[in-house]
Amino acid sequence: MILLDKPYVSQFLKNTITKYKLPAIDTGDIIEDGEISLINSEQIIQNFKNKPDSRLYTNSENSINWVINNLGFTKLPEYINLFKNKFEFRKLIKSIYPDFFFKEVALKDLDQINLEELPMPFIIKPAIGFLSLGVHKVVNKEEWLKVKQDIQDEFTNAKKLFPIEVVNASSFIIEEVIDGDEFAFDAYFDENGEAVILGISKHLFASEKDVSDRVYYTSKKLIQSYLPQFTQFVEALGRRADIRNFPVHIEVRVDDKGKLIPIEVNPMRFGGWCTTADLTHAATGLNPYYSYLNNTPPDWTQLLDEMDDEIYSLIILDNSTGIPSTDISHFDYEKLLTKFSNPLELRKTDYKTYNIFGILYTKCKQDQFIEIEDILVSDLKEYVCP
């Protein structure tokens, strides 16, 4: 069963619902009349009463409130809180990473923090958050003064866009900087608690201070390299959390010695805005939504055998221009597309509301990867008209 909500439902997810006749409801008034077949909320509630081991997926954490209000008799709210609250997650895995520094702090107490007691540099982020909202890397005392003000400004705006279950600015977690390459992958726990990986992508950054979500990419070589290690980690996580029939989106870093340290686990979904699951489908042909809901684990040996050697990228066109989105009259999508050798799909978004111009999927050969590196560092000013 699927809960559909704002801010974005991809056509691929809609097609999946229609093709496989998956029961779905609209919890965010985002589906137009007649666009896809929907059921009513009571059917999902009754189904869980009859079959507590049913599987639920949502494209957006905006649906968390619906789950808490309607499915409180299931284990889903417990699973959600365990991962959604980053402080609770750190406590869960503390025995695996006993030397990792983390500390919870209330928003109202940010001014009372003693920097001498913290590792420098450090990361601060909301205990309950979404995308890279409110995530900052602090490298010195002077920067800390600016970061505190930035956090106040960011969450004043965020409260207008997202429910409190998605972004809660009352509590933050401060943790040591995790070195290494960053990866994101989708997975689920089956009815026995066994871990199933549904796709792996690498998260690129423009600089050491960059915390944006601009570029993720996947490839045959990437998946082959990290599938065994990531599967092993999710299996260990599942044993500690004792979770069944539940999807997750996981972010980790792997240092130059091969050590994996988790950043966070996002509950009940894969990549937000229908991103990473759709990227996996473009690159491998696998449908992660169907695989999870139908309990059909991917045959990675066959999938990798059939994959080509090109690089498949997901590009999130966040507004990095320095110009308020409300002051931008036009974004030149056609000019943008000319910068890529093989654009696969462009998803335009309401940038005046969400501060994201769109999401672009591309593929390219290894010797063309410069086009991905260029968009990674672009401020996008050349594509906007005030």
Side-chain angles (χ1 to χ4, degrees):
M1 291 166 286
I2 298 179
L3 308 181
L4 300 172
D5 212 313
K6 296 174 181 175
Y8 187 86
V9 182
S10 70
Q11 190 60 50
F12 175 57
L13 179 53
K14 294 174 188 175
N15 292 344
T16 298
I17 293 170
T18 300
K19 179 179 179 179
Y20 297 108
K21 297 182 173 57
L22 299 172
I25 66 171
D26 182 358
T27 59
D29 195 25
I30 192 172
I31 303 299
E32 297 181 8
D33 289 343
E35 193 174 10
I36 57 176
S37 180
L38 299 170
I39 63 173
N40 62 60
S41 298
E42 281 303 317
Q43 288 175 270
I44 286 187
I45 296 169
Q46 191 58 49
N47 187 82
F48 269 92
K49 288 180 177 178
N50 296 335
K51 298 174 60 179
D53 61 346
S54 295
R55 296 190 177 191
L56 189 68
Y57 178 82
T58 180
N59 68 300
S60 169
E61 291 185 7
N62 286 11
S63 294
I64 287 176
N65 185 54
W66 188 94
V67 173
I68 292 171
N69 289 337
N70 294 281
L71 299 176
F73 58 90
T74 71
K75 288 192 173 184
L76 291 175
E78 176 188 334
Y79 293 166
I80 289 169
N81 183 64
L82 183 61
F83 293 131
K84 185 62 183 168
N85 187 310
K86 295 175 177 61
F87 186 69
E88 292 300 317
F89 171 64
R90 283 289 172 212
K91 289 196 295 183
L92 172 69
I93 62 171
K94 184 172 177 56
S95 61
I96 309 177
Y97 304 96
D99 298 326
F100 186 82
F101 177 89
F102 64 97
K103 174 185 177 69
E104 187 176 30
V105 59
L107 176 63
K108 62 182 179 61
D109 295 331
L110 290 184
D111 285 331
Q112 277 68 57
I113 288 177
N114 181 0
L115 291 182
E116 300 299 322
E117 297 177 354
L118 303 179
M120 188 70 77
F122 62 83
I123 297 289
I124 182 168
K125 57 188 176 182
I128 298 176
F130 181 62
L131 291 175
S132 293
L133 185 65
V135 180
H136 295 273
K137 183 176 182 179
V138 179
V139 298
N140 54 48
K141 181 178 180 179
E142 291 69 30
E143 194 169 64
W144 173 234
L145 298 175
K146 179 180 183 300
V147 165
K148 285 190 291 184
Q149 185 58 53
D150 288 344
I151 287 173
Q152 297 283 358
D153 296 342
E154 288 165 357
F155 281 92
T156 298
N157 295 327
K159 288 175 184 176
K160 302 173 186 176
L161 297 178
F162 301 104
I164 195 169
E165 292 82 9
V166 176
V167 178
N168 186 344
S170 64
S171 179
F172 283 76
I173 183 170
I174 292 174
E175 56 187 35
E176 66 181 81
V177 171
I178 304 172
D179 292 322
D181 293 332
E182 184 167 316
F183 300 87
F185 56 98
D186 299 322
Y188 72 88
F189 302 99
D190 69 13
E191 66 279 7
N192 300 313
E194 296 296 322
V196 179
I197 301 288
L198 293 174
I200 298 171
S201 58
K202 185 172 184 178
H203 185 184
L204 297 184
F205 294 97
S207 67
E208 282 195 7
K209 290 186 64 176
D210 183 18
V211 293
S212 73
D213 288 309
R214 174 61 60 84
V215 171
Y216 294 81
Y217 78 85
T218 191
S219 68
K220 179 177 182 174
K221 181 180 179 181
L222 184 75
I223 297 171
Q224 284 175 326
S225 299
Y226 291 97
L227 183 61
Q229 183 182 21
F230 292 175
T231 300
Q232 187 177 34
F233 167 73
V234 186
E235 287 173 345
L237 180 64
R239 287 192 295 270
R240 267 174 173 70
D242 191 25
I243 287 183
R244 305 282 190 276
N245 300 304
F246 196 72
V248 287
H249 176 73
I250 301 175
E251 297 171 15
V252 303
R253 283 197 180 235
V254 179
D255 67 20
D256 55 7
K257 296 179 181 177
K259 182 180 180 181
L260 181 155
I261 299 180
I263 301 170
E264 62 186 40
V265 177
N266 298 283
M268 214 169 62
R269 64 170 174 86
F270 303 139
W273 291 64
C274 295
T275 48
T276 53
D278 293 31
L279 178 66
T280 293
H281 177 71
T284 70
L286 173 70
N287 187 326
Y289 306 114
Y290 179 74
S291 182
Y292 161 62
L293 291 166
N294 196 53
N295 196 19
T296 308
D299 182 341
W300 279 112
T301 299
Q302 180 179 343
L303 287 169
L304 290 167
D305 231 20
E306 296 173 352
M307 279 185 72
D308 59 35
D309 294 320
E310 297 204 32
I311 297 171
Y312 290 77
S313 298
L314 158 66
I315 301 160
I316 299 176
L317 301 164
D318 56 305
N319 184 3
S320 53
T321 63
I323 305 169
S325 293
T326 50
D327 294 341
I328 295 174
S329 62
H330 175 71
F331 187 90
D332 195 338
Y333 295 100
E334 297 307 315
K335 181 179 179 180
L336 173 80
L337 292 177
T338 65
K339 305 292 185 178
F340 298 93
S341 55
N342 195 348
L344 300 175
E345 181 184 0
L346 172 65
R347 300 173 177 175
K348 300 177 183 179
T349 58
D350 179 1
Y351 61 83
K352 291 185 183 294
T353 299
Y354 293 108
N355 217 33
I356 295 175
F357 298 114
I359 298 172
L360 177 65
Y361 294 80
T362 74
K363 75 172 182 175
C364 68
K365 299 183 185 303
Q366 181 65 56
D367 60 6
Q368 297 169 318
F369 197 66
I370 184 66
E371 66 191 38
I372 304 302
E373 295 171 335
D374 286 345
I375 197 67
L376 176 64
V377 299
S378 172
D379 60 14
L380 304 183
K381 283 184 179 179
E382 63 178 298
Y383 305 108
V384 303
C385 297

